[in-house]
Amino acid sequence: TGTVAGDDVVQLYVKPTGTAATGRRVKDLRGFARVSLQPNEFKVVTFTLGPRDFSVYDVNATAKTGQWKVVPGTYEIVAGSTSNPEELVSGNGKCLTATVTVQ
């Protein structure tokens, strides 16, 4: 919201924590949406996450095959208008976070 028109890109990241983070990147981009707003306008941006958003690609080198496998554990869902790791990881008020548990 604000007194002038503008637009921004909302970015959605999945950040594994605890045992789900073992051997993984700090966060993965799972969606984005450009939002244009007129003065004092408010919009809700919706993203849908599925099993693959909490998965890693498991390779069987012997059989030369692989498949996506869901990694159970706790994840932070982070939405913000920046890809700056410092701002997304520390959650300094420039992003929204929620925690989910995947089984």
Side-chain angles (χ1 to χ4, degrees):
T1 62
T3 59
V4 296
D7 62 81
D8 206 345
V9 176
V10 179
Q11 302 165 40
L12 182 76
Y13 294 90
V14 172
K15 178 185 169 199
T17 62
T19 57
T22 305
R24 299 189 56 192
R25 294 187 294 250
V26 172
K27 65 184 182 309
D28 290 308
L29 178 66
R30 293 298 188 223
F32 60 92
R34 177 171 292 281
V35 179
S36 297
L37 297 171
Q38 295 303 311
N40 299 312
E41 185 179 13
F42 175 86
K43 287 186 181 176
V44 174
V45 178
T46 303
F47 296 97
T48 301
L49 295 172
R52 181 129 172 223
D53 295 308
F54 304 96
S55 300
V56 295
Y57 195 71
D58 185 33
V59 176
N60 181 328
T62 306
K64 296 184 181 175
T65 61
Q67 63 182 352
W68 288 99
K69 288 192 175 182
V70 172
V71 178
T74 304
Y75 294 81
E76 279 187 18
I77 309 303
V78 183
S81 62
T82 178
S83 61
N84 181 337
E86 294 294 318
E87 293 176 3
L88 287 172
V89 173
S90 66
N92 66 3
K94 295 186 179 182
C95 61
L96 299 172
T97 63
T99 302
V100 298
T101 300
V102 175
Q103 297 181 1

